[in-house]
Amino acid sequence: MRPFRYHRPAGVAEAVALLDAAPDGAYLAGGTNLVDLMKLGVQRPDLLVDVNRLALDTVDPLPDGGLRIGATVRNSDLAAHPLVRQHQPMLSRALLAGASGQLRNMATTAGNLLQRTRCVYFQDTGRACNKREPGAGCAALHGQNRDLAILDWSEACVATHPSDLAVALVALDAVVEAYEPDGPREVPVTELHRSPGAHPERETTLARGALITAVRVPPLPFATRSTYVKVRDRASFAFAVGSVAAALDLAGDIVRDVRLAYGAVAHRPWRAYRAEEALRGRPFTAELAAQAADAELAAARPLHHNAFKVPLIRNITVRALTDLAGPVNR
């Protein structure tokens, strides 16, 4: 592991100034992803800026009925928060589907959003990876790509974003509050992560040195009827092979409104706008849910080993929505 300097700033502005002056530096909060990558030699920061003692660790109700979640709120605390469990159960379910109890006690809200891909070629410094080393090539494109993207990938990168929480936040139209070297900025979570294009090393739309300070979840009354379904290779401590965050608003059997987002299918958490549009205003049935998923997945380009993800995402979309609709509408 490369030797590094360590600093604990007194405030947000100081933290951002420190990292702005250290191009190879990194923020340290829970460290559940960063420390692993440092051990592997994938990330080699020369400065760690510890943000754990900044006042960013509360969940606060907003006057409009939304929530403001501090950047360093631990995943376990957020999953158990009564307002989250009552008003956005998909958030709680997504968090509890991730990692292990011990890791959830350390991992933070912002860290979860910004975690790096779990593509094995990214984590192996002996293999070609444009995300780790721009211009090196993508060994996963024609290699073992079972767990990788079926949507919006490029010749430069077929990696997927690993966060469960980010999928739920995309579905809920959450907004990131960040402090950049030029000052504060807000970014919808739907616009936080980039498509890979020719530069997969550029993972977010935030400026270099930006510090996420909070995530704001706007009010969505029908999010009380929401869920998160995750398919993985083992029952716990495994990343998704495919996942869906769903919220459903029914007036009788008519879909008045809906939110859908997919995980483990693209370089970024995937908001399923086409599927949502196919559902709104129509009588809900399982067949309609399947058709909506097909509309979203029409753009899929499976790789050699992961064509199974297309029917998988279709099936868990139907499962999530029919569970939310209840037995009368199945």
Side-chain angles (χ1 to χ4, degrees):
M1 185 182 290
R2 177 185 184 182
F4 57 85
R5 294 173 292 127
Y6 173 87
H7 193 89
R8 183 177 285 163
V12 168
E14 182 187 355
V16 172
L18 283 165
L19 211 63
D20 188 39
D24 292 329
Y27 291 119
L28 175 67
T32 57
N33 187 205
L34 174 63
V35 173
D36 282 347
L37 294 177
M38 290 173 65
K39 290 177 180 177
L40 292 170
V42 174
Q43 285 190 236
R44 304 176 69 238
D46 60 359
L47 169 67
L48 292 184
V49 178
D50 187 339
V51 298
N52 280 291
R53 292 197 180 180
L54 303 183
L56 305 173
D57 60 351
T58 61
V59 179
D60 301 305
L62 297 173
D64 65 0
L67 287 179
R68 188 176 185 274
I69 303 164
T72 59
V73 172
R74 306 295 162 169
N75 286 180
S76 55
D77 293 335
L78 185 59
H81 197 283
L83 290 177
V84 173
R85 295 180 65 183
Q86 179 181 356
H87 297 291
Q88 293 101 7
M90 71 160 69
L91 282 183
S92 183
R93 288 173 180 261
L95 288 163
L96 293 173
S100 65
Q102 294 90 336
L103 286 173
R104 290 193 295 270
N105 286 340
M106 288 296 297
T108 63
T109 299
N112 196 303
L113 278 174
L114 298 178
Q115 62 185 296
R116 312 292 301 277
T117 184
R118 261 50 180 204
C119 174
V120 295
Y121 298 99
F122 171 73
Q123 294 182 322
D124 183 350
T125 57
R127 308 300 292 269
C129 174
N130 288 314
K131 183 181 288 292
R132 189 185 64 249
E133 184 181 349
C138 176
L141 184 60
H142 301 293
Q144 176 49 255
N145 45 46
R146 171 185 180 269
D147 297 330
L148 302 180
I150 59 173
L151 289 166
D152 198 36
W153 53 266
S154 73
E155 295 293 318
C157 184
V158 295
T160 54
H161 194 274
S163 172
D164 294 299
L165 173 62
V167 180
L169 290 174
V170 162
L172 291 168
D173 290 317
V175 176
V176 161
E177 299 177 7
Y179 197 94
E180 296 185 336
D182 292 335
R185 180 186 171 200
E186 294 188 353
V187 183
V189 180
T190 52
E191 300 174 14
L192 176 65
H193 302 95
R194 295 177 182 267
S195 297
H199 293 282
E201 77 279 8
R202 300 175 186 170
E203 295 180 333
T204 77
T205 58
L206 296 175
R208 165 66 201 167
L211 176 66
I212 292 178
T213 55
V215 176
R216 194 171 67 250
V217 183
L220 184 68
F222 70 91
T224 55
R225 180 184 276 182
S226 67
T227 193
Y228 185 77
V229 177
K230 177 178 179 176
V231 175
R232 48 192 165 179
D233 289 330
R234 56 180 183 267
S236 67
F237 200 23
F239 294 97
V241 177
S243 65
V244 58
L248 185 63
D249 182 20
L250 293 178
D253 65 346
I254 302 298
V255 179
R256 185 160 47 194
D257 206 350
V258 62
R259 297 289 187 275
L260 282 173
Y262 296 146
V265 297
H267 196 255
R268 53 196 171 99
W270 190 262
R271 179 68 177 268
Y273 291 113
R274 293 184 185 88
E276 291 178 359
E277 187 61 29
L279 286 160
R280 289 190 183 100
R282 302 178 64 184
F284 180 83
T285 63
E287 290 75 19
L288 177 64
Q291 292 167 15
D294 288 343
E296 191 67 44
L297 295 166
R301 295 183 296 147
L303 300 163
H304 183 68
H305 299 291
N306 69 3
F308 73 94
K309 284 195 176 188
V310 175
L312 172 67
I313 295 297
R314 181 183 194 265
N315 290 340
I316 62 175
T317 301
V318 174
R319 172 185 163 186
L321 290 172
T322 53
D323 284 350
L324 293 173
V328 175
N329 295 297
R330 294 182 182 179

